[in-house]
Amino acid sequence: SATAPEPITLAGVRLSFGAVKAIDGLDLALRPGSVHGLIGPNGSGKTTTLNVISGYYRPQDGAVRLGSRSLLAEAREARARLRIARTFQTPRIVGEASVIENVMLGGSVEGRASLAESLLSLPRHRADERHLRESARLALRAVGLDGLDDVRAGRLQHSELRFLEIARALMLRPAFLLLDEPAAGLSAQEIQRLGGLIRAVADAGIGVLLVEHHADLIFAICDEVTVLNLGRVLAAGTPAEIRSHREVVSAYLGA
Ligand code: ADP
């Protein structure tokens, strides 16, 4: 069934941009109910990996699967329908729309060709719209933005937009949630709240990919960590294993 807890697996994935090998033979597994941290220096292939899983980039070689099903032929809208949701480094928010309208669009926007198509697809029946609004309200509460429903999204602070993006992604009822640097620009206190939210998401059975620079957040909440360098896996393991990996420590953690 659509809710079967199957992993997403990448095997031997390669993607070059001209002469740049952004991903150079990558193996990775995202497990339901688990937080997988992806770290590494700038340009090591983290965002490219997220784009390959969400269908924004197509690799030149290798396999990307959900369970036994290949995802490579599936466009990004189809992957959204398979309940693979993502956020962006720069929140993609409709500033003129209210907070709750932005979240309501999340139930459809990733699965549609365009924002216009999404707006047209918003429910015409009052019962459907009520249901969507109620789901959006729950998503906003889950990320700690309740009480802001009718505020214009353009008036939110940067940190609030990051949480709004997650609320919108949750509207897909994702099986997998791919987060691209969600802690960027957040205060220490907000990062702690974000960590609690991500853990709760995983504990609800969702598989999370966390691309992140904040090592403290990665080590605090991840079940597994993969360290990339030049598009290859430098190290993979539990946070404890990665923390004690000599090469990783000297190269990236500044210890
Ligand atoms: P990271 O997220 O780890 O900083 P990226 O995945 O963004 O790294 O980039 C990996 C490499 O691929 C970099 O050298 C980057 O310049 C290159 N790259 C990424 N996306 C593109 C693109 N759309 N066009 C050309 N080069 C790209």
Side-chain angles (χ1 to χ4, degrees):
S1 84
T3 55
E6 299 175 308
I8 289 177
T9 52
L10 279 64
V13 170
R14 286 176 215 283
L15 175 53
S16 297
F17 297 101
V20 176
K21 294 177 176 175
I23 311 182
D24 190 17
L26 179 62
D27 299 339
L28 192 78
L30 303 184
R31 298 171 224 287
S34 173
V35 182
H36 194 134
L38 194 57
I39 61 175
N42 276 331
S44 58
K46 303 183 297 293
T47 295
T48 301
T49 301
L50 196 153
N51 283 328
V52 162
I53 298 171
S54 54
Y56 282 70
Y57 292 164
R58 192 181 161 83
Q60 284 129 356
D61 200 5
V64 180
R65 293 195 180 91
L66 174 60
S68 58
R69 169 184 190 154
S70 174
L71 292 176
L72 289 181
E74 309 288 354
R76 61 203 206 201
E77 296 80 13
R79 294 192 211 193
R81 284 193 291 272
L82 290 168
R83 298 166 56 229
I84 301 169
R86 69 167 295 174
T87 64
F88 294 87
Q89 264 176 44
T90 307
R92 298 193 172 181
I93 297 299
V94 184
E96 297 305 314
S98 71
V99 166
I100 197 155
E101 283 164 349
N102 269 277
V103 178
M104 288 168 73
L105 282 174
S108 54
V109 84
E110 283 290 334
R112 305 274 167 188
S114 68
L115 185 61
E117 200 190 322
S118 298
L119 287 166
L120 289 173
S121 76
L122 279 179
R124 274 146 230 166
H125 303 293
R126 226 180 301 168
D128 290 349
E129 130 112 48
R130 209 160 40 225
H131 179 74
L132 191 61
R133 191 170 285 273
E134 188 50 35
S135 301
R137 212 167 263 139
L138 288 173
L140 282 169
R141 195 188 301 164
V143 303
L145 288 182
D146 36 336
L148 296 175
D149 294 12
D150 298 321
V151 173
R152 218 163 48 81
R155 299 191 51 188
L156 292 189
Q157 294 172 0
H158 170 84
S159 58
E160 292 171 325
L161 290 180
R162 292 221 167 271
F163 285 99
L164 177 56
E165 272 248 307
I166 295 174
R168 196 170 53 176
L170 291 175
M171 287 294 281
L172 270 183
R173 299 182 182 285
F176 291 92
L177 178 60
L178 318 176
L179 299 172
D180 199 354
E181 298 196 17
L186 300 194
S187 70
Q189 197 183 355
E190 288 161 344
I191 290 175
Q192 197 158 30
R193 191 159 77 75
L194 174 68
L197 169 61
I198 294 171
R199 245 350 298 175
V201 162
D203 292 344
I206 297 169
V208 178
L209 178 69
L210 177 58
V211 170
E212 192 44 70
H213 279 299
H214 285 80
D216 289 350
L217 176 63
I218 289 278
F219 290 129
I221 67 167
C222 288
D223 299 292
E224 268 179 281
V225 179
T226 295
V227 186
L228 293 184
N229 187 36
L230 298 171
R232 292 168 181 243
V233 175
L234 176 69
T238 64
E241 285 163 351
I242 296 302
R243 265 192 151 135
S244 60
H245 192 287
R246 195 173 303 154
E247 223 179 321
V248 174
V249 170
S250 64
Y252 305 115
L253 301 178

